[in-house]
Amino acid sequence: MKLKNRPSKHSTVLPGGQILDRIMRLLVASVGAGLIYGLLAHGTKSACGVNPVTGGTSCLELQLNPSGWVYLMMALTAIVLLSRAIQNSPNEATAVHLIRWAGMIVPTLAIASLVISMASFMLVPVNDWAPGDDFAYFVPFGSVELEINDLPGTSDP
């Protein structure tokens, strides 16, 4: 004998069950996208050269890390779209539609931020740096730390 009113795997019998299901999917997608961005948005580039003033070797190192602004954008997007779905939707279908859009936009923000930050970090011309000169770079959607180390020159005996 088959049950006729059996709920599907991803729904609940609670009132507003579709909305709750979509909110849960949004949370899972947001956390997953944040973890992927946080794990993959890392990189290092370095270059060394002889400093003409000191005669020693100077090395430049750039380190890419995830940006807190990306996490803030993801959270604000989810909060704003959830708020609009809950407060301004005339019916359940419209609320589910807005939450579904949030579930697509938040991971897209994370993936786009990852691709843009990695691509722009790879394009930073560290080999064009000359010791003693200033170094400028621009990496959107990523946090970059710059470190310049001066190694003492070796003297010939």
Side-chain angles (χ1 to χ4, degrees):
M1 177 180 255
K2 194 172 191 178
L3 295 174
K4 295 185 184 219
N5 292 333
R6 186 174 175 184
S8 69
K9 181 180 176 184
H10 295 289
S11 67
T12 179
V13 292
L14 295 173
Q18 281 187 318
I19 293 175
L20 293 173
D21 184 48
R22 286 293 170 183
I23 290 173
M24 182 57 119
R25 290 181 187 196
L26 170 62
L27 288 172
V28 170
S30 299
V31 168
L35 285 173
I36 289 170
Y37 171 72
L39 291 173
L40 298 180
H42 291 280
T44 304
K45 290 182 96 170
S46 61
C48 293
V50 176
N51 191 332
V53 176
T54 63
T57 303
S58 294
C59 292
L60 168 112
E61 183 179 351
L62 293 174
Q63 187 170 13
L64 174 68
N65 294 307
S67 173
W69 292 104
V70 173
Y71 293 117
L72 182 64
M73 286 189 320
M74 291 169 54
L76 287 177
T77 301
I79 290 169
V80 166
L81 289 175
L82 275 174
S83 297
R84 289 184 56 115
I86 292 169
Q87 295 174 355
N88 299 335
S89 295
N91 55 34
E92 188 174 341
T94 306
V96 168
H97 180 72
L98 279 172
I99 297 169
R100 184 181 303 131
W101 268 102
M104 290 185 287
I105 292 171
V106 171
T108 302
L109 275 172
I111 292 168
S113 297
L114 175 65
V115 169
I116 291 169
S117 66
M118 292 300 286
S120 59
F121 185 72
M122 285 190 276
L123 293 175
V124 172
V126 293
N127 293 331
D128 293 348
W129 173 72
D133 290 346
D134 289 334
F135 187 76
Y137 57 89
F138 178 66
V139 179
F141 305 109
S143 175
V144 179
E145 295 177 26
L146 170 67
E147 186 175 327
I148 298 176
N149 294 318
D150 291 326
L151 304 173
T154 57
S155 59
D156 293 330

